[in-house]
Amino acid sequence: MSTDGDDDPTVPIVCEECDTRTRVPLSALADQLERHNETRHDGEDVAGVDPALADQIADLVVEDMGLLDEE
């Protein structure tokens, strides 16, 4: 949760190449990642959402969509 009173949740982003970790508002996530990768890594997708969070989100989506349900 953001500390400035804003209700926009923050998302952890990681760049192993730069050895940086930060949190950004969800509404700014795509722009922040694109800007970092463009300015620091010549447009390569190096920085991204923390892999642990990305895995959790993927698991929730799979469960919610019932993709593992046997018929």
Side-chain angles (χ1 to χ4, degrees), residues 4 17 20 59 64 66:
D4 64 0
E17 195 168 304
T20 58
D59 290 345
D64 188 53

Side-chain angles (χ1 to χ4, degrees), residues 15-33:
C15 182
E16 297 295 337
E17 195 168 304
C18 293
D19 195 29
T20 58
R21 296 172 111 32
T22 191
R23 295 183 74 88
V24 299
L26 181 58
S27 61
L29 178 63
D31 291 336
Q32 290 287 335
L33 287 174

Side-chain angles (χ1 to χ4, degrees):
M1 183 173 259
S2 179
T3 58
D4 64 0
D6 191 6
D7 289 337
D8 198 7
T10 60
V11 179
I13 58 174
V14 176
C15 182
E16 297 295 337
E17 195 168 304
C18 293
D19 195 29
T20 58
R21 296 172 111 32
T22 191
R23 295 183 74 88
V24 299
L26 181 58
S27 61
L29 178 63
D31 291 336
Q32 290 287 335
L33 287 174
E34 182 179 4
R35 185 175 320 129
H36 176 89
N37 287 326
E38 283 292 326
T39 60
R40 306 271 185 189
H41 306 294
D42 295 323
E44 290 185 50
D45 289 334
V46 177
V49 173
D50 185 328
L53 178 60
D55 288 346
Q56 289 177 358
I57 292 170
D59 290 345
L60 290 171
V61 169
V62 166
E63 182 180 318
D64 188 53
M65 294 180 71
L67 297 176
L68 297 178
D69 293 344
E70 294 183 29
E71 291 187 26

